[in-house]
Amino acid sequence: MTGEAIRDMIKHYVLQSWSVQKTINPIPVEKAEGIYFWDSDGKRYTDMSSQLVNLNLGFGNKAIGDAIKAQVDQYCFLSPGYGSEVRAKLAGKIVSLMPDNMAKVFFTNAGAEANENAIKMARMVTGRWKVFSRYRSYHGASFGAGNLTGEPRRYPLEPGIPGFIKFFDPYMYREAIRFESEEEASAYYLAKLEEQIQYENPTTIAAIVMETITGSNGVIIPPKGYLPGVRALCDKYGIMMILDEVMTGWCRTGRMFGFENFGVKPDIVSFAKGVTCGYVPLGGVVVSKQVAEYFDDHFLSCGLTYSGHPLACAAGLACVSYYEENDVAAHVTEVGKVLKAQLEALKEKHACVGDIRSIGLFSSAELVKDKETREALVPYGGDSKGVMKGILGKLFAKGFMTYTHENMIIIAPALIITEDQLVEELKKLDEVLTEVDASL
């Protein structure tokens, strides 16, 4: 098929995510390798968002591909109740990478299902029904995960499920108060969270769910002491701490899991995306010994036809092994330092860049109309003039492929990117930001 024929068929037959369908114009991809892909006309693009922050090892990883092929030759599917070697090995490897309080894995197909099952388990174990999550969060688009989500993608699900309570992120850049230190900010946000817990009746709260680092809603990195403080509140009130590692897991931040940067041990962890780099869909829930022991004697009311799908587990086992054997986390740490320094330089140079937040190869540039007032380039939940879409179009024209959310540009390239490749691509971002400056 020609590229044009592919594009036409997609537009005619496929409903595209998060889009007004008449506006879509998909790029027909001919081939892909590493951090690059080429369209049907031979133009090269650089994937600066790891697709949807999931293609951590880039296109064409041979170890993952070979593992999938080998599993195809053995068998492609085995229902969850049977013993599959790759399922057993992957679960064991994941638990071995977790803190010493963690015990077992329940496999799902993706992140939304992981979060759905995480909150179900927390409610069953605690006997409570309320679940706290943050306003600037995205946990999936299914009904439960969508109610867990705080940002505007939850709106079509309203009125929502009773018991889903929202609280505010520790978003220092947008806070009306100017704190003298991160610790002071953490103390403030934790005090407000505890006040809300008390107002909601702690004996009814099953879990507090957080993206370890808020992802698409701005790569909001928690200030010093915040996550340990939430852990302490959970312990104080008998609440489960659930950390969503769908984006931050699998070396994205320079650690195998994002929470390792903050010295906390969650009760439940949800994961997906980078566990297979999207080569085959896979997600899961890792639970603590306390949770696992509860279900030794109580019925686990969770189940999926494709839980622990053998092809997905084969891909996952190869993928996670690759992270370990090639010390991908160390590479991310080193190249991440370059990314952060380059982005900080762009912040100093450009009037439109209000804030830069970066950890490992997970970062965002927050665009503003005025650095002094911090007025966002587009209002929250509303870009009616298509300002950010226009900026994205300029980046696409240069082959810099990523996505935006609200007034943020996400920069989260594949973890195999080299320093030279990174510097080459950030020059393109610099050029587009210069055009944005001129429009202010």
Side-chain angles (χ1 to χ4, degrees), residues 98-102 227-228 231 235 241-243 259-260 262-269 288:
M98 285 278 163
D100 58 9
N101 67 314
M102 306 303 274
L227 283 180
R231 174 73 272 179
D235 292 339
M241 183 184 195
I242 301 176
L243 292 182
F259 59 77
E260 295 178 57
F262 307 101
V264 294
K265 295 180 181 181
D267 298 298
I268 298 175
V269 174
S288 68

Side-chain angles (χ1 to χ4, degrees), residues 345-362:
L346 292 179
K347 176 183 173 181
E348 290 301 312
K349 178 179 180 179
H350 293 289
C352 66
V353 182
D355 198 26
I356 289 294
R357 294 179 290 275
S358 187
I359 181 170
L361 289 173
F362 196 35

Side-chain angles (χ1 to χ4, degrees), residues 12-13 15 39 48 54 62 76 82 100 111 134 150 170 189 232 281 285 293 298 319 377 383 399-400:
H12 190 76
Y13 292 110
L15 285 169
D39 68 17
M48 290 301 288
N54 68 317
K62 189 174 187 302
C76 289
Y82 291 94
D100 58 9
R134 299 192 294 210
Y189 288 114
V285 182
E293 288 168 1
H298 296 81
C319 185
L377 189 63
D383 184 12
F400 185 112

Side-chain angles (χ1 to χ4, degrees), residues 94-113:
I94 290 171
V95 171
S96 75
L97 295 170
M98 285 278 163
D100 58 9
N101 67 314
M102 306 303 274
K104 288 186 177 181
V105 180
F106 177 78
F107 287 113
T108 66
N109 297 302
E113 284 183 349

